[in-house]
Amino acid sequence: MGILEKISEIEKEIARTQKNKATEYHLGLLKAKLAKYRAQLLEPSKSASSKGEGFDVMKSGDARVALIGFPSVGKSTFLSLMTSTASEAASYEFTTLTCIPGVIEYKGANIQLLDLPGIIEGAAQGKGRGRQVIAVARTADVVIMMLDATKGEVQRSLLEKELESVGIRLNKHRPNIYFKPKKGGGISFNSTVTLTQCSEKLVQLILHEYKIFNAEVLFREDCSPDEFIDVIVGNRVYMPCLYVYNKIDQISMEEVDRLARKPNSVVISCGMKLNLDYLLEMLWEYLALTCIYTKKRGQRPDFTDAIILRKGASVEHVCHRIHRSLASQFKYALVWGTSTKYSPQRVGLTHTMEHEDVIQIVK
């Protein structure tokens, strides 16, 4: 029996098992087995020694955004509208067959946008070019899930399922569980909160399924067995996702209003160029980028060339971005902007910068 058959058997078993107190251990074990088989499926086979055509694109710019969706939802049209790159768009499926990069220039930042080939159902098992597409998506900072507004719900649940099965967790945070395998001493289990979904016995069963018999486990929040399995496997990627419903010119106003009110969702029309500026604003928020401007002594700040950093970056990060030896020669910095109590404020390396602050560094 191949891995795919084993996976489908376990999925059927989970579907037909009733969820109650008596079956929680059985379900926990099944979920652990399922995660194990899915991990095996994603590992490249040893026999495939012949090198295929490369698919990933070199990372460039200040952030990376991956466009994921089913064929013919308007990904290539969106790329052509947002960037100066022309991606071939046509009214038939699978027009795009490889990864096409483009650059969005917004608020002084260069955001790399990747137009990926359409995903089909079963992509996680390697159908179409699904595995390569999903592998590229794992390297992005934000995923834009392009959906057809006329059939959005079906597409959304199918795509979420595909990404979920390869370890991409959308709009979720990393479970707050401390887990450390040890050489001996058995399994020590503790929790700082009351657990309603996991118990010590279930944790031990799951660990035994992974052939782990000595470990330290501490639950700092009430997590499900699935989240605990994610912590054991350890290769999960947690990333923000924007659900973009395209082709809103083909549905009623009530439906547009309903889709727009869903969390993490934006409605657009590439054909009629509707709402694209709002999408860019949302994307900027999700990427959590900040612009920092520099100033030389006795001169006006340089507002033409910003340093782009992640939200929460400190003065030390700014120094490293300008020159790697600058932090070691650092004396103090003067900062103007919303991160200070008064302008200019004299600060040290640990001071946290905010969007559109101006900094002058003294060596």
Side-chain angles (χ1 to χ4, degrees):
M1 192 190 252
I3 293 178
L4 285 175
E5 288 88 39
K6 285 178 183 172
I7 287 175
S8 68
E9 281 296 310
I10 294 172
E11 281 175 342
K12 283 175 195 162
E13 176 82 8
I14 290 173
R16 64 171 175 258
T17 307
Q18 281 187 328
K19 286 177 180 65
N20 55 40
K21 261 289 187 247
T23 60
E24 67 176 0
Y25 298 127
H26 179 58
L27 279 171
L29 261 178
L30 287 175
K31 284 172 179 171
K33 279 184 178 159
L34 187 61
K36 212 163 124 186
Y37 287 137
R38 279 183 177 157
Q40 283 176 16
L41 194 66
L42 289 177
E43 282 167 13
S45 57
K46 302 278 187 289
S47 59
S49 55
S50 60
K51 283 194 172 161
E53 175 190 340
F55 197 67
D56 198 1
V57 174
M58 201 171 124
K59 211 166 186 172
S60 71
D62 303 297
R64 183 179 229 189
V65 177
L67 265 179
I68 283 184
F70 279 98
S72 284
V73 289
K75 297 188 296 298
S76 300
T77 314
F78 177 73
L79 181 86
S80 304
L81 281 174
M82 288 299 189
T83 68
S84 55
T85 311
S87 181
E88 194 186 336
S91 56
Y92 53 84
E93 296 193 343
F94 296 108
T95 321
T96 307
L97 293 172
T98 181
C99 178
I100 297 170
V103 175
I104 302 173
E105 288 172 12
Y106 187 66
K107 290 189 180 178
N110 290 333
I111 302 164
Q112 188 183 37
L113 184 68
L114 300 180
D115 177 18
L116 298 170
I119 286 184
I120 52 174
E121 210 179 331
Q125 279 87 46
K127 280 190 191 167
R129 299 195 71 174
R131 265 195 228 173
Q132 289 163 302
V133 172
I134 289 167
V136 175
R138 282 176 76 100
T139 65
D141 299 304
V142 169
V143 166
I144 289 184
M145 194 181 282
M146 211 51 151
L147 303 160
D148 190 331
T150 54
K151 46 188 177 216
E153 301 311 306
V154 188
Q155 289 191 349
R156 180 170 167 167
S157 55
L158 281 171
L159 278 173
E160 279 176 343
K161 194 179 156 199
E162 290 296 334
L163 295 178
E164 193 87 5
S165 65
V166 293
I168 296 178
R169 304 283 177 263
L170 302 176
N171 298 328
K172 287 182 183 172
H173 65 88
R174 202 173 288 280
N176 195 351
I177 300 172
Y178 173 77
F179 168 72
K180 187 183 178 188
K182 295 188 298 185
K183 290 277 192 293
I187 291 167
S188 76
F189 175 84
N190 275 309
S191 67
T192 57
V193 290
T194 311
L195 299 181
T196 57
Q197 308 173 65
C198 260
S199 65
E200 187 172 352
K201 187 184 166 189
L202 182 54
V203 164
Q204 284 181 344
L205 278 171
I206 291 170
L207 286 171
H208 289 172
E209 179 58 41
Y210 279 92
K211 299 197 168 40
I212 298 169
F213 302 101
N214 304 294
E216 219 174 302
V217 180
L218 170 64
F219 276 71
R220 294 199 186 98
E221 63 179 351
D222 187 15
C223 295
S224 65
D226 292 327
E227 289 174 316
F228 179 56
I229 291 166
D230 284 352
V231 171
I232 299 171
V233 176
N235 64 350
R236 304 299 189 230
V237 180
Y238 297 85
M239 59 170 67
C241 172
L242 254 179
Y243 300 100
V244 177
Y245 293 91
N246 188 17
K247 306 182 185 177
I248 54 167
D249 46 314
Q250 298 175 17
I251 54 173
S252 66
M253 275 312 291
E254 290 79 12
E255 183 67 6
V256 171
D257 187 56
R258 189 183 70 79
L259 292 174
R261 286 177 193 279
K262 291 173 89 95
N264 311 312
S265 299
V266 179
V267 290
I268 64 162
S269 168
C270 288
M272 297 178 79
K273 298 183 184 173
L274 297 173
N275 216 20
L276 297 175
D277 46 354
Y278 175 65
L279 172 56
L280 277 179
E281 272 175 49
M282 287 288 285
L283 188 59
W284 181 264
E285 262 177 55
Y286 274 62
L287 285 167
L289 298 174
T290 50
C291 295
I292 313 291
Y293 299 107
T294 54
K295 174 187 180 311
K296 288 180 181 169
R297 185 178 287 175
Q299 293 182 15
R300 294 181 67 80
D302 179 13
F303 289 119
T304 54
D305 188 20
I307 295 173
I308 309 292
L309 293 164
R310 288 294 149 109
K311 207 167 261 179
S314 64
V315 173
E316 194 174 355
H317 290 114
V318 179
C319 292
H320 286 310
R321 180 57 75 88
I322 296 168
H323 194 274
R324 63 176 180 271
S325 67
L326 189 57
S328 58
Q329 303 169 342
F330 179 86
K331 192 173 174 190
Y332 65 88
L334 294 173
V335 175
W336 291 257
T338 51
S339 69
T340 58
K341 291 186 181 120
Y342 44 86
S343 291
Q345 184 177 331
R346 186 170 164 164
V347 297
L349 281 174
T350 54
H351 177 77
T352 306
M353 305 294 287
E354 283 182 12
H355 186 50
E356 294 187 338
D357 276 2
V358 174
I359 187 169
Q360 177 186 321
I361 294 169
V362 179
K363 291 201 283 187

